[in-house]
Amino acid sequence: MSRGGSRVNGLPAERPAGVLDATGAWERLLRIRTEADAAAAGLRRDAHGRHRWTDDASAEAHLLAERYVPLCLSGPRFTFAQLGQSLDGFIATRKGDADYVTGPEDREHLHRLRALSDAVVVGAGTAVADDPRLTVRACPGPHPVRVVLDPHGRVPATRQVFTDGAAPTLWVVGAGSEDGRAAADATAGTGVDVLVLPDTAAFAPRRLVHELARRGLGRVLVEGGGVTVSRFLHEGALDRLYVTVAPVLIGDGVPGLAFPGPDVMRDALRPPVRRAFLGEDTLFELDLRAPQSGEPLDGEHGGTGEGGGEGE
């Protein structure tokens, strides 16, 4: 968990009375979904198109607006992902230890992303290896619905997301898994909703996004692990990708992004990017939006339809 939820980039948020500080700015940002909301919160665009506070605001408050207003205004249907990795591209050691690759500022950033999402998605591998809570603790904000992709029904029902009752949880299992129905039985009456998909093709990222949107979960954060985020990226299901790189070398371990790439560099993906410092780490924010982003997906089969590896 982050140390110092009222800090931005390691700087204290305290300011003289009357100055909008980081805490006050974040409380306003949580309520923004439209330009009208932004104006009501006290934001207006400057000559460069960036939203700035009209009130006297601290440097930390301005940083929060610059970093998160674009996400706040991304619309009701938006899929984004986050990974924290080492300089050589690993999210954990070869034995799976990831505590912690990146620093506390990045963990606070991750919790802010959770607070701005309707649902946070992880694959089975992450649920098994890390037993994550997937709640918002490092900053104020609502908990998203926790979604566990488990096509083969291999995540134990004892994991925290199924037992702690801290936030709603959706357990997505495959009908072909013998443990699929067992999952439903194991969580009966616990507040965990079990969604049984008919086949592995239904786990294709764009179809999953569509299914979540049907349930009112349009703003989706894909948090992990590397296999799940890579699949969403490769199959064109992401609108934005946050990658935080820590100045640490692991040498060998669990890779972050890995997907079939092009034969020549000119065909490599080079999306628009914003960079920011999170303590000692560097945050890269990649804009992956395609022209069709946000359009209905009814009848669409955007991916390969092969979801056998989904959920890590």
Side-chain angles (χ1 to χ4, degrees):
M1 182 185 298
S2 170
R3 297 185 299 273
S6 61
R7 298 170 68 91
V8 177
N9 288 345
L11 300 175
E14 293 80 5
R15 286 296 183 271
V19 175
L20 180 64
D21 63 6
T23 300
W26 178 246
E27 290 174 353
R28 297 187 189 186
L29 290 171
L30 284 171
R31 300 191 294 267
I32 294 174
R33 290 296 181 270
T34 66
E35 287 285 356
D37 293 337
L43 287 163
R44 69 179 179 187
R45 292 184 183 270
D46 63 15
H48 302 285
R50 296 173 301 188
H51 287 83
R52 303 284 292 179
W53 298 110
T54 56
D55 298 332
D56 188 11
S58 68
E60 297 91 333
H62 283 301
L63 276 174
L64 286 174
E66 183 175 359
R67 185 169 300 156
Y68 298 108
V69 167
L71 182 58
C72 293
L73 297 177
S74 60
R77 288 282 298 275
F78 199 78
T79 305
F80 53 107
Q82 191 273 352
L83 279 179
Q85 65 179 44
S86 65
L87 197 60
D88 47 355
F90 298 106
I91 60 175
T93 68
R94 69 169 69 94
K95 292 189 176 182
D97 180 21
D99 293 335
Y100 291 104
V101 176
T102 57
E105 294 85 357
D106 181 52
R107 293 193 289 281
E108 181 180 55
H109 165 66
L110 172 60
H111 284 231
R112 294 191 190 278
L113 294 182
R114 289 177 184 172
L116 293 174
S117 66
D118 298 325
V120 56
V121 175
V122 296
T126 295
V128 171
D130 298 343
D131 193 15
R133 295 166 65 182
L134 304 178
T135 52
V136 178
R137 305 183 303 281
C139 66
H143 301 313
V145 174
R146 304 175 293 189
V147 180
V148 178
L149 305 181
D150 190 15
H152 306 297
R154 64 189 181 95
V155 181
T158 54
R159 285 299 181 260
Q160 293 182 93
V161 291
F162 304 135
T163 62
D164 63 11
T169 299
L170 178 63
W171 194 352
V172 187
V173 299
S177 166
E178 293 183 0
D179 295 330
R181 293 297 175 183
D185 294 338
T187 57
T190 65
V192 176
D193 190 8
V194 177
L195 171 62
V196 180
L197 296 182
D199 49 40
T200 55
F203 281 84
R206 291 177 68 84
R207 294 182 64 177
L208 284 167
V209 168
H210 181 40
E211 179 61 37
L212 293 177
R214 288 181 58 250
R215 292 171 166 257
L217 306 175
R219 295 167 61 89
V220 178
L221 167 61
V222 184
E223 186 171 318
V227 170
T228 299
V229 173
S230 296
R231 180 176 289 275
F232 271 73
L233 173 63
H234 182 59
E235 297 195 15
L238 292 180
D239 297 302
R240 185 168 298 165
L241 172 64
Y242 296 89
V243 179
T244 303
V245 179
V248 60
L249 298 172
I250 297 177
D252 180 22
V254 180
L257 297 173
F259 54 88
D263 292 329
V264 293
M265 279 302 300
R266 67 173 175 269
D267 294 332
L269 185 62
R270 296 181 186 270
V273 62
R274 295 200 306 169
R275 299 173 183 83
F277 291 112
L278 296 175
E280 295 183 348
D281 305 330
T282 302
L283 171 65
F284 295 86
E285 179 184 344
L286 308 176
D287 186 353
L288 304 171
R289 270 183 286 195
Q292 71 271 20
S293 178
E295 293 182 357
L297 297 178
D298 290 331
E300 184 172 355
H301 302 282
T304 62
E306 296 176 359
E310 185 55 47
E312 301 169 68

